[in-house]
Amino acid sequence: MHTTSYNPAHDKAQLLARRHERDLHWAKERRRQHEREAAEARATLAARPLRLARTALWTGGSLLAVTAAAWAVALLTVAPSWSGAVDGAGALVVLAVVVAVAFALGRIRARRTAARALLRSRGDRLSHTQYHIHESVHSFIDARVDVVNTRASVSA
């Protein structure tokens, strides 16, 4: 009959092997994440800028049209003494819409710039994660060998 007694070296080797296995999974997941980010960047750059800006432009244009209509109705319905206040409020709303659209277009431009930078650095990022995968695989294999080598059977 064979029984195994407690072997602290074997336990340490198993813990180390689990850690290296987690490192390997992390490196592989990081590689997948880099691939997903690169695919998103390619899709962002493949889309025409006007297509990306369409929502911001339509929303801004709609808000400006609604603001113009509300402004005209307000000027027709309020007393002439309030026309200065209506003009000021209308101008503030128009300014806010224009600033919001400009901000949205700036964000789109920044996304495209970031996508270009990401694709330029893609090779370096992938080689770095490949290095981690390579190191993790070898560390994991070495740790599994240690687990097997520290396993000892004791005859009873």
Side-chain angles (χ1 to χ4, degrees):
M1 178 173 146
H2 292 294
T3 61
T4 55
S5 61
Y6 175 69
N7 185 346
H10 182 67
D11 281 352
K12 287 180 185 175
Q14 281 185 319
L15 288 173
L16 187 61
R18 284 190 207 114
R19 193 188 102 216
H20 287 305
E21 185 178 14
R22 279 193 308 272
D23 289 348
L24 178 59
H25 286 298
W26 175 85
K28 286 180 175 180
E29 183 53 39
R30 188 74 178 139
R31 174 71 179 254
R32 288 185 204 105
Q33 181 181 352
H34 286 320
E35 289 294 340
R36 283 190 301 269
E37 289 171 355
E40 289 172 9
R42 280 191 296 274
T44 298
L45 292 176
R48 293 189 356 239
L50 189 58
R51 183 177 175 271
L52 295 174
R54 180 176 31 196
T55 303
L57 293 174
W58 276 104
T59 304
S62 300
L63 287 174
L64 287 176
V66 168
T67 301
W71 197 346
V73 168
L75 285 175
L76 291 175
T77 58
V78 298
S81 62
W82 284 94
S83 65
V86 169
D87 286 341
L92 283 177
V93 171
V94 168
L95 180 65
V97 169
V98 169
V99 167
V101 169
F103 185 73
L105 294 176
R107 284 184 32 217
I108 291 169
R109 183 177 179 165
R111 273 183 37 212
R112 289 179 58 86
T113 302
R116 279 189 207 95
L118 187 134
L119 290 177
R120 275 194 304 271
S121 68
R122 181 176 179 267
D124 294 337
R125 291 163 50 109
L126 291 181
S127 68
H128 185 69
T129 54
Q130 187 60 41
Y131 167 79
H132 279 292
I133 291 171
H134 181 75
E135 290 297 313
S136 297
V137 164
H138 289 292
S139 298
F140 176 67
I141 291 170
D142 292 343
R144 291 305 300 167
V145 168
D146 287 344
V147 167
V148 171
N149 289 340
T150 57
R151 201 178 293 148
S153 296
V154 177
S155 297

